[in-house]
Amino acid sequence: MDTIFALATAQGRAGVAVIRISGPEAKSCAEQLCGSLPGARQAVVRILRDDVGETLDQALILVFDTPASFTGEDVVEFHLHGSIAVISAVVRELGKCNARMAEPGEFTRRALENNKMDLAQVEGLGDLIEAETEAQRQQALRTVSGELGQRIEVWRSQLIRAAALIEVTIDFADEEVPVDVTPEVQSLLSAVEKDISNQLNGFGAAERIRTGFEVAIVGAPNAGKSTLLNALARRDAAITSEVAGTTRDIIEVRMDLGGLPVTLLDTAGLRDSGDEIEAEGIARAISRASAAQLRIFLAEPGEYLSVPVSKGDIVLAPKADQRNDDVPAISGLTGHGVDELVSSVTATLSERAQNAGLLTHERHRAAMTKALSTLSSASALVGVGPEHYDIAAEEMRVAIRSLEAVVGRVDVENLLDEIFSSFCLGK
């Protein structure tokens, strides 16, 4: 196994930069630069020198002995002054040792291979690094903590128990089995099916917390959609004009609402148009608005728009500053109703986010869906009678393998390169 090193903090100037070394030669490489090393988990300050004795920097040194480290290998960290010149000099000197620069995600991949993390935790770590909002941080931390893996281990144990009971019956098919195992097997299968179903029902909300909710502003031309977008974004994100059809492509603004990641969509005004470009913009507006998780309609009472209003959508009359009626209205120009709209959107999305489960990636959903399908088949076969127990047992084994794939025990080697390629060099 090669010894690897990389900058573990962000590129560029900073107060402190951390360079991490991991592998069988980590300690000897570090000693070439700093001399003697401290004991494990003891911080000391050392002068780092190059191969001719010139000072590189004064650094804080930390040592983590195998297997009690992030990667499960010997690990040494140099906490340096974070100048580009210092980082470059230390990395250059490490390149002269019996070590090489790490590939993206290689530290985390070694943690997986050394059973320090399961694959779901690895994905959670990637999500944590990318987290921009409080809800994303909390969700990623749940995954990194191993909560999904622990839940899967419980389900796996229950299914192994159910399969064992069935297989005992098969093994003694020609003899009198003293106890009918069917009720216990059905109970175990039912419990796992229910738990998996609950997690699948929460996948949509969990995925939205990870990738973001989309909220589309919909209305006719000159309804004030772009002005409202600018008011919500608190900057001039969209061009506003009295000329109808100014907005032709979709304008997106990323926001943090109550800790949730939200992308606001300013869409083209909905109308019949003979302009080919505007017509394409309207078609895109209808498509994106229909797919959004929430829509804000700026429309007069009774006005028809080609995007239907769904449950939970918000409908307001436009240009409240020019109205004299009691219809609920909003004005991006004056700010009338904007704070109330933000509160309403935040409350609606927060309520939906409460249903989030532990499944956060499409890979999780696909594996769980397969497991649920095979468990349903197994349960039906068990109910038919002992003559189908052998097929039922195989269906249970398929379900177990699907669950194991989520945490990386089986059938995921082809996914690893793709997953780790999104990590930075120091992870």
Side-chain angles (χ1 to χ4, degrees):
M1 180 69 74
D2 293 344
T3 296
I4 58 175
F5 64 89
L7 178 67
T9 46
Q11 295 283 349
R13 290 180 294 179
V16 175
V18 177
I19 291 179
R20 176 181 290 158
I21 315 167
S22 179
E25 302 297 325
K27 291 182 179 180
S28 62
C29 285
E31 286 171 345
Q32 291 184 42
L33 275 73
C34 70
S36 64
L37 294 174
R41 301 176 182 272
Q42 296 179 10
V44 300
V45 176
R46 292 282 190 270
I47 299 296
L48 304 184
R49 302 182 189 276
D50 62 17
D51 56 353
V52 296
E54 291 292 326
T55 298
L56 299 173
D57 192 26
Q58 187 179 52
L60 186 74
I61 313 296
L62 284 171
V63 176
F64 302 90
D65 289 339
T66 182
S69 71
F70 174 70
T71 62
E73 304 171 332
D74 283 340
V75 172
V76 180
E77 290 183 355
F78 293 158
H79 294 236
L80 313 163
H81 293 98
S83 79
I84 295 173
V86 167
I87 295 168
S88 298
V90 173
V91 167
R92 186 167 56 249
E93 201 62 27
L94 284 171
K96 300 175 184 178
C97 303
N98 188 23
R100 62 170 175 80
M101 182 70 75
E103 297 175 358
E106 191 168 3
F107 288 95
T108 308
R109 186 162 188 162
R110 292 191 178 194
L112 174 68
E113 292 169 347
N114 292 325
N115 296 317
K116 304 298 291 186
M117 307 176 77
D118 63 42
L119 190 56
Q121 287 177 290
V122 167
E123 290 169 316
L125 179 59
D127 293 340
L128 184 60
I129 293 170
E130 297 293 328
E132 297 176 341
T133 72
E134 179 63 15
Q136 289 176 322
R137 182 190 69 82
Q138 291 180 2
Q139 177 170 272
L141 279 176
R142 289 181 68 189
T143 309
V144 172
S145 71
E147 189 172 342
L148 177 56
Q150 293 163 12
R151 193 74 62 89
I152 286 174
E153 186 56 39
V154 171
W155 298 334
R156 181 175 174 274
S157 297
Q158 290 174 315
L159 294 181
I160 289 174
R161 166 71 177 170
L165 290 171
I166 288 294
E167 287 167 353
V168 165
T169 303
I170 296 172
D171 291 341
F172 293 93
D174 296 331
E175 303 178 25
E176 186 69 27
V177 179
V179 178
D180 181 8
V181 301
T182 303
E184 183 178 356
V185 170
Q186 292 282 31
S187 177
L188 289 167
L189 294 179
S190 177
V192 176
E193 283 184 80
K194 181 179 179 181
D195 285 349
I196 292 178
S197 293
N198 289 338
Q199 290 301 323
L200 285 170
N201 290 337
F203 169 72
E207 185 184 39
R208 280 301 148 201
I209 291 174
R210 187 175 70 84
T211 61
F213 291 88
E214 287 194 348
V215 177
I217 304 174
V218 182
N222 276 342
K225 299 183 299 300
S226 297
T227 303
L228 177 58
L229 178 78
N230 290 341
L232 293 169
R234 301 186 186 279
R235 61 185 176 88
D236 291 334
I239 297 173
T240 59
S241 170
E242 294 296 325
V243 178
T246 299
T247 301
R248 298 194 172 196
D249 208 350
I250 295 169
I251 298 172
E252 303 182 6
V253 173
R254 189 83 167 180
M255 296 183 66
D256 179 339
L257 294 182
L260 296 173
V262 177
T263 299
L264 292 173
L265 308 177
D266 178 23
T267 61
L270 303 182
R271 66 172 177 176
D272 293 329
S273 175
D275 184 301
E276 182 179 351
I277 297 176
E278 184 183 2
E280 175 61 25
I282 293 170
R284 293 185 182 187
I286 294 172
S287 176
R288 285 293 294 277
S290 298
Q293 285 70 58
L294 184 66
R295 284 151 292 277
I296 301 169
F297 288 89
L298 300 184
E300 297 290 346
E303 181 180 1
Y304 170 78
L305 294 174
S306 48
V307 176
V309 178
S310 300
K311 181 180 179 181
D313 287 346
I314 299 169
V315 182
L316 296 168
K319 303 181 179 180
D321 53 303
Q322 300 177 18
R323 309 184 72 88
N324 294 314
D325 52 28
D326 296 327
V327 175
I330 192 169
S331 171
L333 187 63
T334 65
H336 176 87
V338 170
D339 289 343
E340 291 81 357
L341 174 62
V342 170
S343 297
S344 179
V345 170
T346 302
T348 298
L349 296 182
S350 295
E351 182 179 355
R352 296 181 186 181
Q354 289 178 0
N355 298 322
L358 294 172
L359 313 183
T360 56
H361 289 252
E362 173 59 24
R363 185 181 71 83
H364 304 168
R365 187 204 64 78
M368 291 293 187
T369 300
K370 181 178 180 181
L372 186 62
S373 174
T374 54
L375 287 179
S376 178
S377 175
S379 182
L381 289 166
V382 170
V384 171
E387 62 273 17
H388 296 283
Y389 278 4
D390 54 342
I391 304 176
E394 178 57 28
E395 293 283 44
M396 292 179 210
R397 285 191 287 270
V398 171
I400 290 169
R401 288 195 291 271
S402 295
L403 295 177
E404 289 176 337
V406 175
V407 291
R409 290 191 180 186
V410 295
D411 299 333
V412 294
E413 188 63 33
N414 60 325
L415 291 171
L416 296 184
D417 289 340
E418 179 181 348
I419 289 171
F420 289 114
S421 66
S422 64
F423 279 67
C424 58
L425 288 177
K427 274 293 183 185

